[in-house]
């Protein structure tokens, strides 16, 4: 039996990854704030005493979409540094035979640089995202430093915005926010408001495509991989796609130019992962199909609340 520890297992990615791992023969051990809290290293050590893991998937992070990073840089720096340092220390000192698999963030890329893996640590991240972005850079530096001194094995994935069914209904990542807002506009007469002029550009990858790709790349060692579709769209285009799913008049979309909008564009290079996995196996889900599945999930969840 393959023994695997998953931090952040109850988050959006974790909820998709854990069943996938279990179906592949992994015995899952979950680490969260109630079970072996990552902020308490001695508790983490004691909780899994005698268990030897084959893999550690570190998905846990303290962050939220919208303007959270702008308003809570200190909280993000302190808490993410603590949990990242503790899981790396636990790995190096108590689970050296496990392969550590960590999630980075495309926010760590400098906005004015080509978003290719070897450029991840170059330049300055977007100022409003700086603290969180730098904790993710430090996580990669931790993996590389531990490998250099102790010879341990790891992987580091940098996803674009993940989407798909199974998200929390109050998740405010922009695409989930659009789904919720368009539902409310269609069914409750509320306004569908886009932050900024909507010309900022973003990239999505369907969560199951990202997860399946991660699983196929597990045999790789000590590598960084971008996970994205390689295609970006404007926020306005995404909003119109969601309107189409709801048969809602896109002309009714309003814009709030006073709101935070983040970087102007964000698209990561996927050449490296495509060199390992054929394009048709890496990206199986069209944007149209993925959005319809996400919208259908949200609609069904809302029916349960009626």
């Amino acid at each position: 039996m393959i023994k695997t520890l998953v931090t952040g297992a109850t988050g959006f990615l974790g909820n998709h990854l854990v069943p996938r791992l279990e179906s592949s023969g992994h015995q899952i051990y979950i680490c969260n704030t109630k079970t072996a809290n990552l902020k308490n290293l001695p508790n983490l050590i004691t909780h899994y005493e005698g268990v030897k893991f084959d893999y550690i998937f570190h998905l846990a992070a303290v962050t939220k979409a919208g303007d959270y990073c702008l308003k809570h840089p200190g909280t993000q720096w302190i808490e993410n540094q603590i949990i990242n340092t503790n899981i790396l220390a636990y790995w190096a000192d108590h689970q050296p035979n496990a392969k550590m698999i960590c999630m980075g963030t495309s926010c760590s890329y400098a906005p004015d640089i080509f978003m290719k893996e070897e450029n991840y640590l170059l330049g300055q991240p977007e100022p409003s995202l700086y603290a969180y972005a730098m904790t993710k850079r430090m996580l990669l530096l931790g993996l590389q430093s531990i490998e250099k001194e102790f010879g341990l094995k790891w992987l580091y994935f940098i996803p674009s915005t993940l989407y798909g069914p199974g998200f929390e209904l109050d998740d405010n990542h922009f695409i989930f926010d659009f789904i919720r807002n368009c539902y409310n506009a269609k069914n409750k007469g509320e306004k569908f408001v886009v932050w900024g002029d909507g010309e900022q550009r973003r990239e999505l990858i369907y969560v199951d495509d990202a997860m399946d790709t991660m699983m196929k790349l597990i045999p790789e060692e000590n590598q960084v991989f971008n996970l994205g579709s390689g295609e970006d769209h404007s926020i306005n285009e995404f909003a119109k796609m969601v309107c189409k799913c709801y048969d809602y008049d896109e002309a009714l979309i309003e814009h709030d130019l006073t709101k935070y909008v983040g970087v102007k564009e964000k698209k990561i290079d996927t050449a490296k992962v495509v060199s390992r996995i054929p394009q048709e196996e890496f990206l199986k889900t069209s944007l149209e199909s993925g959005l319809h599945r996400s919208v259908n999930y949200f609609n069904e969840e809302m029916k349960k609340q009626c």
Side-chain angles (χ1 to χ4, degrees), residues 75-93:
T75 297
Q76 287 199 300
W77 179 261
I78 293 169
E79 296 195 6
N80 283 303
Q81 287 293 79
I82 289 172
I83 65 175
N84 290 343
T85 298
N86 282 348
I87 196 65
L88 292 182
Y90 176 68
W91 172 48
D93 294 339

Side-chain angles (χ1 to χ4, degrees), residues 52-85:
K52 295 300 180 183
F53 294 116
D54 299 288
Y55 296 97
I56 300 173
F57 282 81
H58 181 39
L59 314 181
V62 177
T63 190
K64 294 180 182 178
D67 57 2
Y68 181 85
C69 292
L70 185 65
K71 295 181 177 179
H72 303 281
T75 297
Q76 287 199 300
W77 179 261
I78 293 169
E79 296 195 6
N80 283 303
Q81 287 293 79
I82 289 172
I83 65 175
N84 290 343
T85 298

Side-chain angles (χ1 to χ4, degrees), residues 161-261:
T161 300
L162 298 165
Y163 80 108
F167 57 93
E168 294 184 4
L169 300 186
D170 61 350
D171 191 320
N172 59 351
H173 280 83
F174 80 90
I175 197 63
F176 302 144
D177 197 45
F178 284 180
I179 291 171
R180 181 174 55 254
N181 289 349
C182 196
Y183 174 93
N184 289 337
K186 177 77 173 182
N187 296 284
K188 301 180 181 180
E190 297 181 6
K191 294 181 178 180
F192 184 179
V193 180
V194 170
W195 287 16
D197 63 10
E199 292 307 308
Q200 61 271 35
R201 302 184 69 82
R202 296 293 183 267
E203 175 185 7
L204 297 178
I205 182 169
Y206 192 68
V207 63
D208 289 336
D209 289 351
M211 179 186 60
D212 289 344
T213 302
M214 288 169 58
M215 296 296 293
K216 291 175 181 177
L217 291 170
I218 280 181
E220 298 276 350
E221 291 185 351
N222 310 332
Q223 295 287 332
V224 179
F225 288 100
N226 283 337
L227 297 176
S229 63
E231 297 182 358
D232 63 341
H233 298 272
S234 72
I235 289 295
N236 284 329
E237 289 172 326
F238 282 120
K240 291 175 183 178
M241 292 177 200
V242 173
C243 287
K244 186 177 179 179
C245 291
Y246 277 108
D247 192 25
Y248 180 77
D249 185 357
E250 65 184 47
L252 297 175
I253 297 174
E254 299 184 12
H255 293 80
D256 187 343
L257 301 181
T258 68
K259 294 294 188 180
Y260 168 79
V261 297

